[in-house]
Amino acid sequence: MIPIKDKEGILRMREVCSMAATVLEYLKPLVRPGITTMDLEEASRAEIARIGARSACFGYQHGSRRYPAHTCISVNEEVVHGIPSYKRVLREGDIVSLDVVLEYNGYIGDNAYTVPVPPVLPQVDKLLRVTREALNAGVRAARVGSRIGDISSTIQAYVEDHGFSVVRDMVGHGVGTSMHEPPEIPNFGKRSAGERIRPGMTLAIEPMVNMGAYATRTLSDGWTVVTADHSPSAHFEHTVLTTDKGPEILTIPGLAQAKSA
Ligand code: MF3
Ligand code: CO
């Protein structure tokens, strides 16, 4: 069963999603040559504390391991769940995926964005553009009355039409009082398949797109997912509320503040 949020739940989701977007927006311009991914981690930790939220990544348990950082930072061939490091110095031509997941008042907001360190190769620029547009297309497909497979197939078609591949090993997901709720939202699949979309669902839609083949593997740190062929990979994500008036992106900076003002 896909959880349906009531009025209160929607209010809380608005709040935490806007906070997650605010932190992500804060981090984007900090990405530049010469800094380390640990510098970004520390900036995220400080900003999350400043706004009074909590990282849902820090201490997140998978098997026997706990994720050791506040923000997932994945560079180039790293797809997701990269671990910030003092040793990873950013260089011109890199792309840096920032995945910010916050908890506030018992609710969770999830969003991600891939930032280039210019100049990047034209094909890398295209990878970022296509992944961002695939996310937008996926969001538009999250219409009440459609099905989860309509989101999946829309993203897959968009990405593959532009010559890239969608990761199979990780999927988008419902999000709410826990980070991962039903349904799974693959970035590949069949139109009209899966559960029907109803009002009040909060969905984390998150295409992970590889320039090369879709296969991935996980490094020995137990977290960092990389492309098997070492090709660059991009990741864009929004948390979206489904409504009778259409999908609404909740991970927009300042939204909660503006609405309560
Ligand atoms: N957005 C990621 C996900 O949905 C965040 C994971 S946090 C981590 O899987 F702790 F697992 F890294
Ligand atoms: Co997610």
Side-chain angles (χ1 to χ4, degrees):
M1 277 295 285
I2 304 178
I4 300 294
K5 274 71 184 180
D6 62 8
K7 239 175 151 195
E8 164 86 7
I10 290 171
L11 201 82
R12 297 288 182 221
M13 285 301 287
R14 267 188 209 297
E15 216 159 35
V16 69
C17 287
S18 128
M19 291 170 116
T22 299
V23 172
L24 183 55
E25 205 61 29
Y26 169 81
L27 292 176
K28 286 180 199 174
L30 302 184
V31 174
R32 55 194 159 75
I35 68 159
T36 69
T37 53
M38 188 60 89
D39 294 327
L40 294 168
E41 154 69 6
E42 285 171 355
S44 81
R45 178 165 50 81
E47 182 66 4
I48 293 165
R50 192 187 67 77
I51 67 173
R54 188 184 71 79
S55 165
C57 293
F58 186 77
Y60 180 83
Q61 200 161 358
H62 181 75
S64 61
R65 295 173 196 263
R66 288 183 179 275
Y67 186 74
H70 296 73
T71 297
C72 297
I73 305 177
S74 310
V75 182
N76 296 341
E77 77 287 354
E78 296 172 358
V79 180
V80 288
H81 303 165
I83 299 175
S85 159
Y86 290 111
K87 284 187 245 164
R88 188 67 188 243
V89 182
L90 298 179
R91 307 251 176 252
E92 289 180 358
D94 286 344
I95 55 172
V96 184
S97 300
L98 304 168
D99 192 346
V100 175
V101 197
L102 298 190
E103 183 267 328
Y104 183 69
N105 267 324
Y107 284 83
I108 289 174
D110 190 355
N111 65 170
Y113 196 95
T114 302
V115 185
V117 185
V120 298
L121 295 172
Q123 186 71 352
V124 171
D125 212 58
K126 181 184 169 193
L127 175 71
L128 301 190
R129 180 173 55 77
V130 166
T131 310
R132 198 170 52 233
E133 289 168 357
L135 169 58
N136 292 336
V139 169
R140 284 194 297 272
R143 277 190 305 272
V144 166
S146 296
R147 290 177 183 273
I148 298 301
D150 295 315
I151 303 173
S152 304
S153 62
T154 298
I155 291 171
Q156 179 176 21
Y158 193 86
V159 168
E160 293 179 353
D161 285 353
H162 289 82
F164 299 133
S165 67
V166 287
V167 168
R168 307 292 201 269
D169 298 329
M170 269 96 36
V171 296
H173 51 94
V175 57
T177 52
S178 56
M179 194 188 328
H180 299 126
E181 294 182 344
E184 291 196 344
I185 310 174
N187 296 299
F188 55 95
K190 287 193 170 42
R191 194 164 295 282
S192 304
E195 286 199 69
R196 193 173 293 283
I197 298 170
R198 302 183 191 284
M201 294 179 174
T202 46
L203 307 175
I205 302 176
E206 50 176 322
M208 289 153 270
V209 175
N210 298 350
M211 189 181 289
Y214 65 71
T216 69
R217 63 186 196 87
T218 303
L219 298 186
S220 57
D221 62 22
W223 289 103
T224 312
V225 177
V226 299
T227 55
D229 62 7
H230 305 291
S231 69
S233 184
H235 180 209
F236 287 80
E237 174 176 30
H238 274 307
T239 301
V240 172
L241 170 70
T242 57
T243 83
D244 281 320
K245 294 182 201 136
E248 184 191 344
I249 296 172
L250 297 183
T251 36
I252 305 277
L255 194 72
Q257 291 90 320
K259 294 236 165 177
S260 63

